[in-house]
């Protein structure tokens, strides 16, 4: 398959780790020079996008991986136990959608990281822009910093909290890795692949967070390499949620689930911006994301599909008021995205935005 991706991209790294694990051959190139050609097939230009040998296109790393699991069923990465499976999918969603802000902040707020990464991105993926290189560098650095840091609520008031989110992820993963070589057992699960998004291409490669990882989370640093080198690793996934997961789940409830709930409420109210208070830190003017309304829908649907006993066990692990959005009977926003359930073969939408390009 052809992966349209970039060597320093969050979700491309997540997908590549999965393809390597499964031994699925792929070529990779950046999409931007061919954006006009690709857009009608995928609905949105983002990385990764996959063009299959049979002509089909796939978007969004979460449904791409879920779908490939049905085609490449050796060494399954979805836990069999329904409670563990739900928790693993929740960790994937937290990795995809919560740690993103911290990853973008470290990359684009720190001068050294910004200079290095704009060079890599420009020389690898933005060679087609007919501008002198110094202007391409400036354009990319400004675009990324504005769109993904300034407009995503990183301010002098929130900056420490954003960074603390990374440190908490390192501490919580380190605790889980004391018990098992992978987060949920002796082979990787969807929770590991999800966390490779932020941990491989941003926190594990960008100079500032990489140094922090080496010093404060060496177990995570080693896990990143273990994941990259995991091709075909067989083993077992746990059959019950390990105690070592407790702090990670508390963090997810108090951060990611608050954001999903506030975002969904704002979307339902027709807003384009929203505010939220996370662990006592006030974020203002965040962009409403229709895609994240869909993420919450998927989690709620997974939960609703569990048997009564499994639901009680999940509630036991997520015993925080912030987690109730997963099971509340009160109406939560409807994204009306992918209503036919064709993902990853549907027309995609970018994460920020409330429009309807489908
Ligand atoms: N939900 C998508 C997100 C993909 C995504 O947002 N990728 C980023 C780069 S890592 C991107 O292409 N952003 C669009 C942009 O920069 O314009 C997935 O899971 O694959």
């Amino acid at each position: 398959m052809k992966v349209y991706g970039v060597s320093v991209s969050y979700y491309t790294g997540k997908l590549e780790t999965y393809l390597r694990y499964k031994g699925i051959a792929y070529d990779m190139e950046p999409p931007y020079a061919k954006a006009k050609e690709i857009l009608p097939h995928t609905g949105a230009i983002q990385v990764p996008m996959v063009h299959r040998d049979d002509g089909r296109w796939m978007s969004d790393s979460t449904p791409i991986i879920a779908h490939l699991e049905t085609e490449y069923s050796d060494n399954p990465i979805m836990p069999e136990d329904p409670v563990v499976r739900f928790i693993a999918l929740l960790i994937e969603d937290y990795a995809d959608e919560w740690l993103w802000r911290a990853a973008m902040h470290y990359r684009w707020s720190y001068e050294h990281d910004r200079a290095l990464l704009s060079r890599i991105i420009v020389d690898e993926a933005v060679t087609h822009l007919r501008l002198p290189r110094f202007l391409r560098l400036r354009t990319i650095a400004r675009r990324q910093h504005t769109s993904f840091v300034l407009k995503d609520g990183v301010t002098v008031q929130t900056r420490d909290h954003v960074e603390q989110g990374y440190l908490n992820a390192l501490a919580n993963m380190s605790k889980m890795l004391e018990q098992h070589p992978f987060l949920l057992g002796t082979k990787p699960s969807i929770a590991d692949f999800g966390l490779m998004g932020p941990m491989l291409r941003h926190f594990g490669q960008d100079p500032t967070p990489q140094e922090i990882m080496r010093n404060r989370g060496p177990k995570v640093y080693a896990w990143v390499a273990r994941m990259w080198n995991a091709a075909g690793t067989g083993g077992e996934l746990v059959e019950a949620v390990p105690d070592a997961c407790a702090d990670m789940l508390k963090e997810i409830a108090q951060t990611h689930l608050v954001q999903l709930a506030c975002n969904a409420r704002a979307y339902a109210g027709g807003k384009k911006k929203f505010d939220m208070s996370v662990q006592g830190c006030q974020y203002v003017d965040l962009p409403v994301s229709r895609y994240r309304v869909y993420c919450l829908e998927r989690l709620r649907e997974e939960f609703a599909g569990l048997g009564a006993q499994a639901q009680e066990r999940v509630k036991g692990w997520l015993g925080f008021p912030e987690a109730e959005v997963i099971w509340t009977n009160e109406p939560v926003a409807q994204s009306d995205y992918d209503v036919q359930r064709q993902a990853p073969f549907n027309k995609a939408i970018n994460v920020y935005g409330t429009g309807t390009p489908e």
Side-chain angles (χ1 to χ4, degrees):
M1 51 186 71
K2 163 74 66 76
V3 174
Y4 285 95
V6 177
S7 73
V8 291
S9 134
Y10 201 100
Y11 302 96
T12 306
K14 172 186 173 190
L15 179 63
E16 283 191 86
T17 307
Y18 175 80
L19 297 176
R20 290 168 61 89
Y21 179 60
K22 290 281 169 157
I24 302 172
Y26 64 98
D27 297 320
M28 195 162 95
E29 70 175 66
Y32 307 107
K34 293 188 186 167
K36 270 199 192 130
E37 221 175 284
I38 297 173
L39 188 61
H41 298 287
T42 58
I45 297 296
Q46 57 180 359
V47 286
M49 297 173 289
V50 180
H51 194 193
R52 304 292 298 267
D53 291 341
D54 63 11
R56 289 180 302 169
W57 290 83
M58 306 195 294
S59 290
D60 282 317
S61 58
T62 299
I64 291 175
I65 291 178
H67 175 79
L68 289 175
E69 276 298 284
T70 66
E71 287 185 38
Y72 298 86
S73 50
D74 282 355
N75 283 330
I77 66 158
M78 299 295 178
E80 265 175 42
D81 176 85
V83 177
V84 180
R85 182 190 147 93
F86 180 84
I87 294 298
L89 292 172
L90 178 64
I91 293 173
E92 180 195 25
D93 206 57
Y94 152 81
D96 281 350
E97 309 297 335
W98 175 257
L99 291 175
W100 170 254
R101 179 182 295 108
M104 295 307 260
H105 158 66
Y106 278 106
R107 177 170 288 185
W108 299 109
S109 300
Y110 285 87
E111 196 183 334
H112 191 50
D113 303 60
R114 179 168 65 229
L116 175 65
L117 268 294
S118 39
R119 279 186 207 126
I120 295 175
I121 291 172
V122 158
D123 293 342
E124 175 183 329
V126 197
T127 46
H128 60 291
L129 266 194
R130 295 194 178 280
L131 285 175
R133 183 168 178 268
F134 81 95
L135 279 179
R136 280 185 282 138
L137 290 172
R138 200 188 287 170
T139 306
I140 288 299
R142 280 201 186 144
R143 173 200 189 260
Q144 301 297 91
H145 187 240
T146 305
S147 318
F148 297 115
V149 180
L150 300 180
K151 289 191 179 171
D152 196 27
V154 184
T155 64
V156 280
Q157 279 78 32
T158 62
R159 189 180 166 122
D160 287 351
H161 183 258
V162 170
E163 297 195 352
Q164 190 61 46
Y166 169 45
L167 303 181
N168 293 348
L170 285 181
N172 295 334
M173 287 179 71
S174 300
K175 232 170 258 171
M176 293 170 76
L177 292 169
E178 264 165 33
Q179 282 201 339
H180 302 287
F182 298 97
L183 295 170
L184 294 172
T186 52
K187 69 172 183 176
S189 73
I190 187 60
D192 298 89
F193 290 102
L195 278 161
M196 276 294 270
M199 293 296 164
L200 172 67
R201 290 295 164 63
H202 282 249
F203 299 139
Q205 283 186 193
D206 294 354
T208 299
Q210 188 195 68
E211 186 63 12
I212 295 171
M213 187 186 284
R214 271 196 296 269
N215 289 321
R216 301 188 56 151
K219 281 195 173 54
V220 179
Y221 196 58
W223 165 89
V224 167
R226 197 176 311 130
M227 281 297 290
W228 190 246
N229 191 37
T233 304
E236 302 296 328
L237 296 179
V238 294
E239 284 165 11
V241 178
D243 287 344
C245 223
D247 289 349
M248 165 80 82
L249 296 177
K250 181 176 180 190
E251 171 78 0
I252 293 175
Q254 294 183 340
T255 59
H256 179 50
L257 294 181
V258 173
Q259 177 164 275
L260 282 187
C262 294
N263 176 70
R265 252 179 256 127
Y267 185 79
K271 303 218 172 81
K272 303 259 183 241
K273 298 268 179 195
F274 71 102
D275 301 342
M276 63 181 185
S277 174
V278 179
Q279 297 167 327
C281 181
Q282 190 67 22
Y283 288 79
V284 296
D285 271 351
L286 301 175
V288 171
S289 163
R290 182 178 172 212
Y291 183 77
R292 288 181 183 159
V293 177
Y294 165 76
C295 293
L296 178 55
E297 265 163 17
R298 294 279 71 73
L299 289 174
R300 283 174 53 81
E301 197 174 270
E302 280 290 334
F303 181 86
L306 296 173
Q309 257 189 349
Q311 288 189 343
E312 283 315 305
R313 275 158 59 207
V314 169
K315 285 184 178 176
W317 282 106
L318 293 173
F320 310 96
E322 298 92 336
E324 281 167 21
V325 66
I326 298 287
W327 51 79
T328 180
N329 289 326
E330 280 166 35
V332 177
Q334 235 183 299
S335 73
D336 292 322
Y337 172 64
D338 190 31
V339 275
Q340 312 286 346
R341 294 299 149 73
Q342 288 171 336
F345 302 105
N346 62 330
K347 295 280 190 285
I349 52 176
N350 289 113
V351 64
Y352 294 133
T354 54
T356 52
E358 268 179 291

